[in-house]
Amino acid sequence: MPTDQLTHFDQAGNAIIVDVSQKQITHRTATAQGEIMVSKQIYDMIEEGTIKKGDVLGVARIAGIMGLKQTSNLIPLCHPLPITNCSIEFKKHYDNNADAGIITVYCTATCDGKTGVEMEALTGTSVTLLSIYDMCKAVDKRMVIKNIHLVSKSGGKSGDFFFDEQH
């Protein structure tokens, strides 16, 4: 099948799960990222640990890991995968030009399997960002979640991928 055809449809156009039974098990890794823009007040409260719901980034990390493990229950045609590792990291900075705090989330998922972990990394990133929003919405609901995308992936038949902002 040419790589430009959608693989989640049969010849009649019906949605199907991709048959991976004949594929080889390989080590697979994927990293996704996204960001949330928050007010100075929220940014300072996260830095100071004074959000009333608790440790925002600690809770968000756990939520992201839990979300990642539920990917096949959320995405209809996604295979359940035996995740062997997951990490969620944060990069924070205050952008004076935008007058906003920016928290970037990086979620990396790994497994030894017959299909990739891109959806797991993207789901982990998304749930982490949503958890930050939930933890902080009582202070200010004007947060913006954006730029969720796959950064890289390795393993499998299609090989390695690295996000290129030029395309």
Side-chain angles (χ1 to χ4, degrees), residues 57-68:
L57 301 184
V59 170
R61 177 178 282 119
I62 296 298
I65 293 168
M66 291 174 67
L68 177 143

Side-chain angles (χ1 to χ4, degrees), residues 84-150:
T84 56
N85 194 23
C86 170
S87 67
I88 296 179
E89 303 300 327
F90 302 97
K91 178 181 169 188
K92 302 176 291 183
H93 74 278
Y94 195 81
D95 184 339
N96 287 316
N97 293 329
D99 194 27
I102 300 172
I103 302 168
T104 305
V105 171
Y106 300 90
C107 177
T108 300
T110 61
C111 81
D112 294 317
K114 295 183 175 193
T115 189
V117 289
E118 298 93 18
M119 293 308 299
E120 285 72 13
L122 288 161
T123 300
T125 298
S126 300
V127 172
T128 302
L129 291 164
L130 289 168
S131 182
I132 293 169
Y133 186 98
D134 180 56
M135 297 277 296
C136 300
K137 69 181 187 266
V139 176
D140 185 355
K141 293 174 180 50
R142 293 172 292 178
M143 293 171 273
V144 176
I145 295 172
K146 63 182 188 173
N147 296 330
I148 299 170
H149 64 277
L150 184 67

